[in-house]
Amino acid sequence: MLLSFLLTVPVIGAIIITSINSYSEKKKLVYTKIIVLITSVINLIISSIIFIIFNNSTNQFQYVQEHYNIQLFDIYLGLDGITIYFMLLTTIIIPVALLSNWDSIKENKKSYLVIMLLLETLLLAVFMTLDIMLFYIFFESILPPLFILIGLFGSDNKISASYYLFLYTLWGSLFLLLSILSTSSTMGSTDFDTLFKLNLEYKTQIFLFIGIFIAFAVKTPVYGLNNWLLKAHVESPLGGSIVLAGIVLKLSLYGIFRLILPILPKVTLDYTFIVYVIGTITVLYASFSTIRTTDIKELIAYSSVAHASVYLMSAFSNTIQGIEGSIILGLAHGFVSSGLFVCAGGVLYDRTGTRSIYFYRGLAQLMPMLSLLFFILCLGNCGTPLTFNFIGEFMSLSGITERLPLMGFLACTSIVLSAAYSIYMFNRISFGGSFTRFLEQSISDVNKREFSILFGLVLFTVILGIYPGMILDVLHYSGTNMLYSL
């Protein structure tokens, strides 16, 4: 029943806030925000309980729930050692996204909150469903809420950005649908447990691999298919950017572990070189593009593309450290990118109204607490030791190098390049002069809400970087099982 609670609690919260009636609009808004925050925290508590009592000594799906003949579908839910971390990441990031836009959304606040709660339910459903057809349905169902979120609450070019997001990912996912329908018609089943036992013909695996990989390449996104991400990040409201970078970009990684590695093992091993070439080109392109950009949100968005390409390559490494490292890097990127977006969009942009790096200088003089937290997040973004990102980067690049040394060497340049653009961004914003006299009077350091958000994300990054065993202990069994299936 715990998984059902995870899916229904946000829906119940959305129903409650839509039915609130009060004579005072101000009171209604306050009650609405508090109810939504409590709803997301309840989900975080439920997911924490699931994690605490999770049995990490088996590769079987746990907390399995089956609901038959619900609107012509059999809803089949469950968790394993890989899924549980994506579930935890979702329930952690959603409260952060809600708190980040606590006061900045002025119009249609209720609509914004309902969309965020629906997104939480849909994202959790993607990670918890054990049916390949339902996986596709929930995978695509997050597009309408994101389309509305960016189209209603984004900045100047929000309409264009929302259409880019919707059309790019929709067309890419049509290839995934064709592959799923082919698999279903061939085997007569859409259940993951059954599909994991398949032994498809080699030619069939090739066609299925092409269709599935195209969909996940758009979602990652790789070079040539990343135009939608930049526009969506820059024009999206802060909460939308956090959900996009922290959770939505991880859907492709999760899909690889569910649909490609266990079901198409022969083609995965034979065509790893092509994936590595695409990933290496994306890493270099995104890293050099990040160095030259002057918009803070653009810089963080491009860096997300570079990190996503590293864990995409690592997932195909056919090594235990590569598989585990890709998951850890995905989780670490979720924490760090969310924190950087809060610094850029939730603190600096809300106070100054600009995202240009050239406008900022001397931030450490006026906002010392923000500068300290911002510095730790930048260190995490470039994979500095004692951060969670370092564990993920080291394991991922080690797995890539063990599989294909040349591609591993080229991918390792992401460490140097990420240090270049991360420290450049921090140095230009925090030092290099002083603000104008007007800003000295009008700008203030982080408040309690902003400090709580950033400190929580920094705490996850540092503690898990010092002691990653609490994650790796659960991952070992599932990662080894995935490797043996290959």
Side-chain angles (χ1 to χ4, degrees), residues 205-220:
Q205 287 194 31
I206 292 175
F207 286 109
L208 294 179
F209 178 84
I210 292 172
I212 296 173
F213 183 75
I214 289 174
F216 294 152
V218 173
K219 213 77 168 186
T220 300

Side-chain angles (χ1 to χ4, degrees), residues 64-185:
V64 174
Q65 297 178 22
E66 300 179 61
H67 305 279
Y68 294 106
N69 297 325
I70 298 179
Q71 295 296 320
L72 304 179
F73 284 101
D74 297 337
I75 296 180
Y76 188 25
L77 306 175
L79 295 173
D80 66 354
I82 294 174
T83 309
I84 194 166
Y85 289 113
F86 292 99
M87 176 204 68
L88 271 174
L89 180 67
T90 303
T91 54
I92 291 170
I93 294 300
I94 291 297
V96 170
L98 291 170
L99 284 171
S100 65
N101 274 131
W102 194 253
D103 297 319
S104 56
I105 301 292
K106 303 299 182 183
E107 298 179 357
N108 297 321
K109 183 74 175 182
K110 184 182 290 188
S111 301
Y112 170 79
L113 297 173
V114 169
I115 290 171
M116 294 298 289
L117 289 178
L118 291 178
L119 270 175
E120 181 174 15
T121 294
L122 296 173
L123 287 166
L124 286 172
V126 174
F127 295 130
M128 295 191 300
T129 185
L130 300 182
D131 185 279
I132 192 171
M133 187 58 71
L134 283 178
F135 173 87
Y136 173 78
I137 291 172
F138 290 125
F139 186 81
E140 286 300 283
S141 64
I142 65 170
L143 291 182
L146 286 174
F147 177 81
I148 298 171
L149 185 70
I150 298 174
L152 279 181
F153 305 101
S155 49
D156 296 337
N157 296 320
K158 56 188 178 183
I159 303 299
S160 173
S162 61
Y163 276 105
Y164 261 84
L165 166 70
F166 188 85
L167 295 177
Y168 256 86
T169 51
L170 179 65
W171 280 103
S173 298
L174 288 178
F175 295 97
L176 174 62
L177 177 61
L178 291 174
S179 298
I180 289 174
L181 291 175
S182 299
T183 305
S184 176
S185 62

Side-chain angles (χ1 to χ4, degrees), residues 259-287:
L259 303 183
I260 294 183
L261 298 186
I263 300 175
L264 311 171
K266 296 178 183 177
V267 176
T268 299
L269 294 174
D270 291 345
Y271 288 87
T272 299
F273 179 79
I274 296 176
V275 177
Y276 274 32
V277 170
I278 295 172
T280 303
I281 293 172
T282 306
V283 168
L284 296 174
Y285 164 78
S287 297

Side-chain angles (χ1 to χ4, degrees), residues 56-59 324 472-482:
N56 59 7
S57 61
T58 176
N59 63 341
E324 292 181 358
L472 289 172
D473 289 344
V474 181
L475 272 182
H476 282 326
Y477 203 93
S478 296
T480 305
N481 183 67
M482 182 71 66

Side-chain angles (χ1 to χ4, degrees), residues 20 114 118 147 163 167 178 192 286 384 389 395 416 422 427 442 452 461 486:
I20 290 178
V114 169
L118 291 178
F147 177 81
Y163 276 105
L167 295 177
L178 291 174
F192 276 134
T384 306
N389 297 67
M395 294 180 68
V416 179
S422 297
N427 186 54
S442 64
S452 300
T461 302
L486 284 171

